[in-house]
Amino acid sequence: MSKRRRNLILENIKLTSAGAKGVAVGKTEEGKTVLVSGAVPGDVVNARVKKAKSKYFEAEAVEILERSPYRVEPKCIHFGVCGGCKWQNLSYEKQLDFKESEVVNNIRRIGGIDGFETLPILGSDEQYFYRNKMEFSFSDSRWLTLDEVNSTENIDDKNALGFHIPGMWSKILDLKECWLQEDPSNEIRLAVKQFAEQNNLEFFDVKNQEGFLRTLMMRQTSQGDWMVLFQLFREEKENREKLFDFLILKFPQIKTLVYAINPKQNDSIYDLDVQTYFGEGFLMEEMDGLKFKIGPKSFFQTNYKQALNLYRKTLEFADLKGDEVVYDLYTGTGTIAQYVARNAKQVIGIESVQEAIDAATEHAKLNGLTNCTFYCGDMKDVFTEEFLENHPKADVLITDPPRDGMHQKVVEQILKLAPERIVYVSCNSATQARDLALMKDMYRVVKILPVDMFPQTHHVENIALLELI
């Protein structure tokens, strides 16, 4: 984009709705769409153009001329810099309205589908402190404010333990507080940073790949048990044990403490050898009588209470009588599969990650479920005609794919299988709508239920019930 375009200010833009990724949407006097970050629907703003497309502008608010009636005061002191809770300045009631509208519009506009019932969006009882897992990064070069950058004074406190600045992987925001995970999350994080600085433990240097302390992850269960996981760039046995012993003594809520040495170029834990320093190395979670073993590498829904509501509604949509064969595609660790298994004759789950399948099998055994079978492999390669020939026909199919939705070959196999009902759980209603469009000649979308798993963000889940025409 030319320099003239970069400095273009769009004046007096009335923002009327919310768009993808939480931007606010308005139009110029000429009718061109403007996607504005740093504002909320209802604001009137002047906005600086960042990208000029043929059909729309991407812009950022530089001046708020009129404040939206939907605005609220953000609770977190880091709001606007952190980027984690972009809608803290928007009333929760309006967050839910915009999320529900996004889901409905996607299914109608992208999917070309209408005539379905829209159940009112299921909001979260907890609008803050709802996450049971958080990950933080150490840095010896924290994000500096504009005032600090322009200051002539020497800045000595450059260490950080917090979140990556959006779009700037090497810069870490030093968190003083976070409203996503209940205490003692904040207390543990702040205590770790203070102890590390007092004992001269080196924070990680992202650019030069040097240092000792790399990442901190905390998980909790609904019973109040905590796991702490450290990634260390290198082994420093004496410093490691000193830090770990301090935490275990100070926070009795920590039931297990684990760590991994990670000299790689990335923070991914899945190929690392995780060592248990204290406790059993895992936590136990329970959902409506089902038990799940949660390890440091386990996937588990991060909003426990809403996940439970999501599973209950999925079971309700499936409308099982007890004699059905159920397929659960993209089963993960088999949470949904086992949740519905008590109401089904047989459940068959498919997932591409072997560790997840191992966990699903272990959980089924733990819960005494003998009617669950799990298969590992890429969905489009496993869920084939040969697979369907060698397994009983599904009466009900549940699918919960990643954000990209289902591969077209998977959709084709579902149509060949032709189960009576499909329950499609999605974290991305746009790709869900695309997939529903591929099935609309054979299936009618009966009803949908948006579910808010992540308050203060633009993300929204959706459950859709399809019935064979």
Side-chain angles (χ1 to χ4, degrees):
M1 187 170 67
S2 68
K3 187 174 181 180
R4 184 177 67 83
R5 280 288 193 184
R6 280 201 303 271
N7 293 325
L8 176 63
I9 301 294
L10 304 175
E11 297 184 340
N12 206 38
I13 303 296
K14 172 71 174 179
L15 303 174
T16 56
S17 63
K21 299 183 179 179
V23 298
V25 182
K27 289 187 180 295
T28 65
E29 289 183 357
E30 296 75 27
K32 190 169 183 176
T33 299
V34 187
L35 310 178
V36 181
S37 60
V40 300
D43 284 340
V44 179
V45 303
N46 291 338
R48 177 183 291 111
V49 172
K50 295 190 295 185
K51 290 183 180 179
K53 305 288 187 178
S54 60
K55 295 184 178 179
Y56 64 91
F57 290 114
E58 291 182 16
E60 60 183 352
V62 293
E63 184 179 4
I64 298 174
L65 306 175
E66 295 180 26
R67 292 172 62 86
S68 168
Y70 314 133
R71 273 187 171 271
V72 296
E73 193 64 29
K75 290 182 179 293
C76 184
I77 61 173
H78 299 296
F79 177 79
V81 179
C82 167
C85 303
K86 292 182 179 178
W87 273 2
Q88 264 196 33
N89 58 351
L90 182 63
S91 74
Y92 189 57
E93 181 183 357
K94 276 299 169 183
Q95 291 181 35
L96 295 179
D97 285 347
F98 288 127
K99 290 182 183 189
E100 182 177 309
S101 295
E102 179 189 353
V103 171
V104 173
N105 290 339
N106 280 341
I107 292 177
R108 286 176 175 161
R109 180 174 52 84
I110 299 173
I113 297 166
D114 218 326
F116 52 87
E117 179 186 5
T118 302
L119 300 177
I121 185 170
L122 186 60
S124 176
D125 290 338
E126 276 77 32
Q127 294 153 33
Y128 295 95
F129 304 123
Y130 57 82
R131 290 185 64 99
N132 57 36
K133 177 186 175 185
M134 293 293 292
E135 298 179 65
F136 308 99
S137 296
F138 293 88
S139 174
D140 66 351
S141 179
R142 68 174 175 85
W143 171 258
L144 300 179
T145 66
L146 188 60
D147 289 341
E148 288 175 317
V149 171
N150 294 330
S151 173
T152 57
E153 297 180 11
N154 289 328
I155 298 173
D156 297 322
D157 59 330
K158 290 190 176 181
N159 288 330
L161 177 53
F163 295 139
H164 292 272
I165 294 290
M168 304 185 71
W169 185 249
S170 65
K171 293 297 182 182
I172 303 296
L173 173 67
D174 187 41
L175 286 179
K176 307 301 182 188
E177 63 180 33
C178 180
W179 288 72
L180 286 174
Q181 189 176 34
E182 67 183 13
D183 278 332
S185 177
N186 280 307
E187 296 170 11
I188 292 173
R189 189 189 65 256
L190 294 172
V192 167
K193 187 188 178 208
Q194 183 180 50
F195 183 91
E197 291 185 323
Q198 289 175 346
N199 291 272
N200 297 315
L201 306 185
E202 286 189 22
F203 287 51
F204 191 51
D205 180 340
V206 178
K207 287 186 176 180
N208 296 313
Q209 296 286 293
E210 296 174 350
F212 173 52
L213 298 170
R214 186 161 184 165
T215 70
L216 167 67
M217 184 268 278
M218 290 181 275
R219 304 187 85 135
Q220 69 187 107
T221 68
S222 57
Q223 292 82 34
D225 296 335
W226 287 72
M227 170 191 291
V228 172
L229 163 67
F230 282 92
Q231 285 192 42
L232 309 173
F233 182 67
R234 60 175 181 247
E235 172 66 292
E236 295 181 11
K237 186 173 185 293
E238 183 178 345
N239 285 331
R240 171 173 58 79
E241 293 181 348
K242 188 164 53 175
L243 171 61
F244 293 178
D245 290 343
F246 159 75
L247 277 182
I248 294 165
L249 183 62
K250 186 173 178 63
F251 297 100
Q253 301 96 325
I254 298 175
K255 301 304 179 184
T256 189
L257 194 154
V258 296
Y259 71 97
I261 308 300
N262 180 8
K264 301 183 303 173
Q265 297 291 313
N266 62 67
D267 294 340
S268 172
I269 193 175
Y270 296 102
D271 57 349
L272 298 179
D273 182 22
V274 179
Q275 301 292 319
T276 300
Y277 183 77
F278 170 74
E280 296 184 284
F282 61 87
L283 301 173
M284 293 301 299
E285 185 58 278
E286 186 172 327
M287 302 185 83
D288 281 348
L290 292 172
K291 295 179 180 179
F292 297 95
K293 181 178 173 181
I294 311 299
K297 298 181 183 180
S298 298
F299 171 79
F300 200 76
Q301 288 282 5
T302 52
N303 186 338
Y304 168 84
K305 291 183 179 178
Q306 275 298 80
L308 192 52
N309 289 329
L310 182 78
Y311 298 155
R312 287 170 177 166
K313 290 298 181 181
T314 299
L315 178 60
E316 182 183 311
F317 274 35
D319 191 26
L320 301 175
K321 308 303 181 187
D323 58 351
E324 296 94 344
V325 174
V326 179
Y327 282 22
D328 183 30
L329 308 188
Y330 310 93
T331 192
T333 56
T335 315
I336 291 179
Q338 291 171 71
Y339 198 86
V340 304
R342 294 175 294 185
N343 297 75
K345 177 183 177 182
Q346 183 180 359
V347 178
I348 295 171
I350 306 174
E351 167 61 41
S352 62
V353 180
Q354 185 63 54
E355 286 182 346
I357 288 295
D358 293 342
T361 303
E362 182 181 7
H363 291 154
K365 186 176 180 180
L366 182 67
N367 290 307
L369 297 170
T370 58
N371 62 340
C372 293
T373 310
F374 298 101
Y375 297 90
C376 184
D378 189 288
M379 191 63 60
K380 70 181 188 309
D381 299 328
V382 174
F383 188 58
T384 61
E385 288 189 43
E386 182 181 359
F387 183 91
L388 299 182
E389 290 171 1
N390 292 307
H391 292 86
K393 175 176 165 53
D395 302 295
V396 177
L397 183 140
I398 299 171
T399 182
D400 185 6
R403 291 193 63 80
D404 289 343
M406 296 190 292
H407 193 281
Q408 186 169 343
K409 288 184 178 179
V410 176
V411 176
E412 292 170 359
Q413 288 304 112
I414 291 175
L415 296 177
K416 290 177 183 177
L417 179 64
E420 288 295 320
R421 288 187 302 284
I422 297 172
V423 183
Y424 190 148
V425 182
S426 173
C427 60
N428 184 348
S429 60
T431 54
Q432 182 187 43
R434 178 204 66 201
D435 295 343
L436 295 180
L438 297 174
M439 296 188 281
K440 66 182 179 182
D441 289 341
M442 279 185 64
Y443 283 91
R444 177 174 69 94
V445 178
V446 179
K447 59 183 175 180
I448 66 169
L449 173 63
V451 181
D452 184 23
M453 300 286 286
F454 303 107
Q456 317 308 332
T457 78
H458 63 276
H459 299 290
V460 60
E461 303 256 340
N462 187 49
I463 311 173
L465 172 63
L466 289 71
E467 290 185 349
L468 199 60
I469 298 173

